[in-house]
Amino acid sequence: MSTASPTPVSTSPLTYPDLFIGGEWIAPTTDARITVSSASTELPLGTVPAATEADVDRAVAAARRAFDDPQGWSQWEPSRRAAALDRFADELSARKSETAVRVSAQNGMPIRFSSAVEGTVPSTVLRYYADLVRADPGPENRTSQVFGSTEVQRNPVGVVGAIIPWNFPQTLAFFKLAPALAAGCTVVMKPSSETVLDAMVVAEAAIAAGLPSGVLNIVPGSGRVAGAHLVAHPDVDKIAFTGSTDAGRGIAETCGRLLKPVTLELGGKSAAIVLDDADLPSTLKSMFAVSLMNQGQSCYICTRILVSRPRYHEFVDGLTEMARSLTIGDPLDKSTIIGPVATARQREIVENYIAQGVAAGARITTGGGRPADFDRGHYVEPTVFADVDNSFTIAREEIFGPVLSVIPFDDEDDAVRIANDSNYGLGGTVWTTDLDRGRSVAARVDTGSIGVNCYTMDHGSPFGGVKDSGLGRELGPEGLLAYQQYKSVYLP
C-alpha cells in the first residue's frame, strides 16, 4: 500500500455563534458548544452551538407555524415549491466545493469521493423531487364502488424530524429533506455532532435561496438528548432517521408508542456473491467501490464476500492485492483512496472487531493494524480476512470500517443460504458473466437492494432495507409518498 502527501487543512477553526431557526440565525439558550475535530489531524475545525431541548422546542414551533400557515409552504402550488427547491439546489451547487472540503475534513472521506457525492447529490436529489412534484397531476378521481365518486388526495404529513448520521451527512440529509420539502412538509434537522460544519452550509444556502421562515431548521445536538426530544416531540408528525440499528430500535419504540410514522434506514452486512463463472479481473476492479469506499463506512456495502470454492484462493489473492494497493492519506489530497475513519471511538471499534476475527481463527491476508506512516489521525489499514465462517462475529455484525470477510460457498443454493443467514438485508451484489443467472440469484437474496455486476444507488428507485436494516423506503416516487398521507373525499 502507498501513502499520499499531506495537505494543509483550514488555517483557523470556524465559529458559528448562532442556530438556524425560523429562517434566521438566533442565539442559543445556553453557552454549550460542539467542537468538531479533523479525522486526519485531530485538530479543531470549528465549533457550533449545542442545541438544548429548549432550542429544539423553538425549532419545532417555527416549523409548526410554517406548516400551519394557511398561505404557507404546505399550501403552495407544487410548481411554486419546485421553483424554490431549484433555487435551493442552485445555492448548494454554488457551495459544493466548500461542502466537500468540510465533509472530508470532519469525517475523513477522501475528497475525490466527497466532491463527487457529498458536493453534488444534494442538488441532484432536490432537482429530481422538484421535477416530480412539478409533474404531479394532483388528486385522483375514482368511480365509487357504492355511489358517486371519490377524490383521493395526497397531502403533506406535517412537521418532519430528520436525524442525520456522520458517514454521508449531506447525501443522507437530502434523501430526507428533498422529498419532505417537495411534499410540502417543514423540517427540523438534527445533524450528527461529528459533522455539523457542513450543515451550516445548508443553512447558508437555504437563506440565499429564500426558503420561507421555519420551512427548514437545523439543531446540532451533543449526545442523544436533542435527538430523543425531537423524536418524542408532540408537534413533530414524522421522523426520518439514518443510523445504527440499536438507535433505530429506540426511535421505533418511541414512534410506535406515539403512533408516529417513521422511516428508518439502518445498518447492513451485505453479501457480494462471486459465482464460479465470474470474470475475476473485472470483478476485482469493481470490488473497491462496493466494499471499501469511504473506509467501509457505508451502510449498504458488501463486507461479506462470498466466493465459489473453486475460485476462492485465486479471488482472495486478487482481493488482497487490491486492498494492499490502495493509497492511504490525507482525505483532502486528491490522490488519497483510503482516509481515516471518522472518530477515535470508531477506530477503537474497528480494531476490536479485527482482534475478534483473529481470535476466531480467521486469517489476515493484508492490513490488520494502523499504517506506519501516520502518527496522528484515525487511520486503519484496509484489512482482508480469509478462512472466515459465516458464524464468526466479523461476519455477523456491522463493523463500519475497512474490514472484509471472504467466505467460500459450494454452489448457488449454498451462496444464497449464507447471504440470507444474516440479521441484515440492505444491499448486495452478484458477480457472473451470465446476466440471467445473476438476476435469478439476486431474486433469491433477502435484501432491499442488490446489483448484478455493479451496485449504484438510483435516485429514481426506492432504497431501504429489510430485517434489522430498517423500515420504509427513501428515493424514487416512493420516497415522496413517505412524506404524504392519503385523504379520501367522497362526492355524490
Side-chain angles (χ1 to χ4, degrees):
M1 78 186 53
S2 58
T3 58
S5 58
T7 301
V9 192
S10 177
T11 55
S12 60
L14 298 164
T15 300
Y16 284 88
D18 298 322
L19 294 167
F20 180 64
I21 294 176
E24 59 185 351
W25 297 104
I26 66 172
T29 55
T30 72
D31 294 332
R33 300 193 62 80
I34 298 169
T35 299
V36 183
S37 297
S38 164
S40 58
T41 69
E42 303 182 50
L43 297 174
L45 293 169
T47 69
V48 303
T52 64
E53 292 184 352
D55 293 318
V56 172
D57 288 341
R58 291 195 295 171
V60 172
R64 185 85 263 163
R65 286 192 300 272
F67 184 81
D68 291 342
D69 182 349
Q71 306 299 319
W73 183 257
S74 63
Q75 302 302 312
W76 283 14
E77 288 294 320
S79 60
R80 187 181 176 192
R81 283 200 304 271
L85 296 187
D86 283 337
R87 292 194 303 272
F88 194 14
D90 290 342
E91 294 297 338
L92 288 166
S93 291
R95 294 163 173 80
K96 64 182 181 181
S97 295
E98 177 66 16
T99 296
V101 168
R102 291 192 187 193
V103 169
S104 291
Q106 291 173 115
N107 72 4
M109 181 185 294
I111 192 71
R112 59 165 61 198
F113 303 132
S114 62
S115 297
V117 179
E118 294 290 270
T120 62
V121 167
S123 57
T124 300
V125 176
L126 278 171
R127 292 188 177 107
Y128 169 80
Y129 281 105
D131 289 343
L132 202 62
V133 297
R134 193 179 280 116
D136 191 337
E140 177 190 353
N141 289 306
R142 299 182 185 177
T143 301
S144 172
Q145 298 301 301
V146 182
F147 68 92
S149 64
T150 300
E151 180 180 271
V152 180
Q153 302 175 353
R154 287 181 286 114
N155 299 315
V157 72
V159 175
V160 173
I163 302 176
I164 315 303
W166 48 256
N167 59 326
F168 285 88
Q170 287 288 300
T171 296
L172 296 173
F174 280 88
F175 281 8
K176 298 158 184 56
L177 298 185
L181 296 176
C185 299
T186 58
V187 180
V188 177
M189 181 179 94
K190 193 201 86 65
S192 169
S193 58
E194 286 81 11
T195 48
V196 292
L197 298 178
D198 59 287
M200 300 299 101
V201 178
V202 174
E204 293 163 358
I207 293 171
L211 287 190
S213 171
V215 168
L216 174 61
N217 311 269
I218 300 176
V219 286
S222 182
R224 293 188 176 181
V225 174
H229 190 61
L230 181 63
V231 169
H233 202 291
D235 278 336
V236 172
D237 301 300
K238 175 185 169 67
I239 294 296
F241 171 79
T242 297
S244 72
T245 296
D246 285 346
R249 288 187 195 281
I251 290 171
E253 288 175 5
T254 299
C255 290
R257 185 176 69 254
L258 298 173
L259 298 179
K260 182 179 297 188
V262 61
T263 300
L264 301 172
E265 198 268 275
L266 308 177
K269 195 70 183 179
S270 302
I273 300 175
V274 182
L275 296 174
D276 54 8
D277 67 341
D279 180 349
L280 291 194
S282 64
T283 298
L284 288 165
K285 186 177 179 179
S286 302
M287 194 54 59
F288 167 78
V290 302
S291 64
L292 288 171
M293 190 181 76
N294 197 28
Q295 295 77 257
Q297 297 173 136
S298 306
C299 52
Y300 61 82
I301 59 172
C302 299
T303 53
R304 290 185 298 151
I305 317 294
L306 316 186
V307 184
S308 174
R309 202 173 291 277
R311 313 294 299 277
Y312 185 78
H313 294 294
E314 180 186 1
F315 185 88
V316 168
D317 290 344
L319 186 67
T320 299
E321 182 180 350
M322 182 274 286
R324 190 178 289 146
S325 70
L326 300 174
T327 301
I328 302 174
D330 187 316
L332 298 181
D333 187 320
K334 292 182 180 179
S335 67
T336 293
I337 305 295
I338 295 288
V341 295
T343 65
R345 173 60 181 150
Q346 189 59 31
R347 178 172 64 179
E348 181 183 335
I349 291 170
V350 173
E351 290 176 335
N352 237 2
Y353 276 113
I354 292 173
Q356 289 185 64
V358 172
R363 174 170 56 93
I364 293 178
T365 66
T366 188
R370 302 180 184 182
D373 297 333
F374 297 87
D375 58 1
R376 60 182 178 178
H378 314 309
Y379 290 91
V380 180
E381 295 173 320
T383 300
V384 175
F385 276 105
D387 305 334
V388 178
D389 186 88
N390 200 54
S391 64
F392 290 2
T393 298
I394 57 171
R396 307 298 302 178
E397 298 183 9
E398 185 178 44
I399 298 174
F400 229 59
V403 181
L404 305 180
S405 296
V406 192
I407 303 169
F409 66 82
D410 295 321
D411 54 27
E412 286 184 16
D413 290 343
D414 193 35
V416 171
R417 178 190 64 78
I418 295 171
N420 289 339
D421 181 18
S422 173
N423 292 331
Y424 297 102
L426 186 58
T429 53
V430 181
W431 302 88
T432 174
T433 52
D434 184 337
L435 186 60
D436 288 338
R437 184 186 185 195
R439 291 173 65 183
S440 175
V441 172
R444 299 171 61 194
V445 179
D446 192 8
T447 185
S449 60
I450 191 166
V452 179
N453 295 333
C454 67
Y455 187 95
T456 181
M457 209 177 292
D458 175 15
H459 301 157
S461 302
F463 173 75
V466 299
K467 298 187 281 190
D468 284 0
S469 289
L471 295 170
R473 292 296 182 267
E474 295 184 315
L475 301 179
E478 295 80 4
L480 182 65
L481 289 174
Y483 296 94
Q484 296 174 321
Q485 53 190 353
Y486 288 101
K487 176 187 284 187
S488 294
V489 179
Y490 306 124
L491 302 169

